Amino acid sequence: MSATKKCNSCNKTKPVRGFDRDETKKDKVQAYCKSCRKEYRLKLNLDKFDLTMEEYNDMLKKQNYLCGICFVDEGRSLCIDHDHIISRVRGLLCSRCNRGLGLLGDSVDAVKSALKYLERCK
């Protein structure tokens, strides 16, 4: 029999694999299931960028539910990509592409340079 836990948000009892680990907790498991934590994080980001769930879903639909850069469906919520200087939302990206832009400093020149490098090394 697999271990189960009741989520403090949705009050559903789920297998422990449906919860993230948390070494600070007595049972080593988060109090909220992965689904509820995902919804909570998305809501925080929607609030941060003054977006409604309807606007987010419209953006998803316009992008065919795919990342705006690599066009892959990771099966997860897409990140809200934004201009860090003016906080304007640009679109939705998978976490890998979102981190890539961030690590390149959101710089068009750095992205162009990376592209030239990859083309040179082909």
Side-chain angles (χ1 to χ4, degrees), residues 78-90:
L78 293 173
C79 301
I80 301 169
D81 177 48
H82 65 286
D83 181 307
H84 288 92
I85 296 170
I86 60 174
S87 292
R88 182 182 56 86
V89 173
R90 295 186 286 223

Side-chain angles (χ1 to χ4, degrees), residues 107-120:
S107 164
V108 172
D109 290 336
V111 172
K112 286 179 182 178
S113 181
L115 177 61
K116 287 177 187 174
Y117 170 80
L118 288 174
E119 289 172 338
R120 249 189 350 262

Side-chain angles (χ1 to χ4, degrees), residues 11-107:
N11 292 317
K12 293 181 183 174
T13 300
K14 300 180 178 186
V16 172
R17 71 177 177 273
F19 294 78
D20 288 321
R21 291 191 54 76
D22 185 345
E23 296 299 324
T24 66
K25 304 290 184 203
K26 184 178 180 182
D27 64 359
K28 308 291 187 210
V29 180
Q30 284 281 335
Y32 304 102
C33 69
K34 289 179 182 179
S35 297
C36 290
R37 286 175 49 82
K38 179 179 169 181
E39 287 177 24
Y40 176 73
R41 286 190 304 269
L42 177 58
K43 184 176 178 345
L44 284 179
N45 280 324
L46 292 175
D47 291 347
K48 179 179 177 181
F49 298 112
D50 199 27
L51 289 174
T52 65
M53 186 56 98
E54 185 178 344
E55 290 169 322
Y56 178 83
N57 288 330
D58 287 345
M59 291 171 69
L60 273 175
K61 189 175 179 180
K62 285 178 187 172
Q63 290 185 203
N64 295 315
Y65 303 90
L66 302 173
C67 171
I69 292 177
C70 70
F71 308 109
V72 170
D73 176 4
E74 286 189 331
R76 300 181 187 168
S77 296
L78 293 173
C79 301
I80 301 169
D81 177 48
H82 65 286
D83 181 307
H84 288 92
I85 296 170
I86 60 174
S87 292
R88 182 182 56 86
V89 173
R90 295 186 286 223
L92 304 174
L93 302 177
C94 69
S95 58
R96 183 179 50 227
C97 290
N98 190 47
R99 282 192 313 269
L101 285 183
L103 290 170
L104 289 171
D106 286 345
S107 164

